[in-house]
Amino acid sequence: MTRTPGWAQSWTIARAAMAALTVAAIVAQLVRSVSSAIDAGRDVATIVSNFFSFFTILSNTAAAVVLLWTALWFWTRGREADAEPRGLATALAAVTTYMVITGIVYNLLLRGVALEPGAVVGWSNEVLHLVGPLFLLADLFVGPRRRALPWRSLWWIVAFPLVWVAYTMVRGPLITNPGTGDPFWYPYPFLNPNNDGGWTSVILYVIGIAIAILAVASFVLWWGRRTAERAVVDPVPQTADTL
């Protein structure tokens, strides 16, 4: 079913719709954050830069861009193609990994963390942390035109999280928390070496999440290769209408 033209068209529409919903969720939360900052007399530039320092926001932004890219490619060049171009396939594998990790980390480690009242847009929060990750996971299994990527693509996928962690740890002690006035700001409590556990706790969390990223990325690549291989070995049967 996932290799039929009808399914490819339907899922492409779903991808575009998910991209639009993700953008709407990001904008809604950004507007709320900026409005709250203005009302509280906080520095808006810091609030905006902090907003785009969350892995959740970056992964969802990248996912929206790549989903729109897949839709544009399909409607302009991909309807007759057997598989996605390699660059698009690599980007899709990457954002799938990031979004699945976002969903896992948030729902296991962060869902119960108390936040400032009114700071979060409820529906936006669920889209960014639950609906989006589940959609990208579903896309892995049923998305059309899958390409088998080489295993070396794994290093392209894990490069961004490594850069983000380095950026976060360097930036953290240079930013004053606009809400509390603390002389540091980290997007997630498990990355804050000023909390109980200090650097030991941070390092252990980073190692654990790195292992999870490698595991998810490996599965994403393995499944894509498996699906592409099955598509070659077991093509869609021809009928009188396709002859």
Side-chain angles (χ1 to χ4, degrees), residues 20-30 51 121 123-125 127-128:
L21 180 61
T22 300
V23 170
I26 293 170
V27 171
Q29 184 57 59
L30 178 60
F51 182 83
V121 179
W123 69 267
S124 169
N125 191 61
V127 168
L128 300 178

Side-chain angles (χ1 to χ4, degrees), residues 56-82:
T56 293
I57 299 301
L58 295 175
S59 62
N60 274 274
T61 300
V65 170
V66 174
L67 288 173
L68 284 175
W69 181 8
T70 63
L72 289 172
W73 170 78
F74 178 82
W75 291 115
T76 57
R77 299 182 180 181
R79 278 177 286 185
E80 303 301 325
D82 293 325

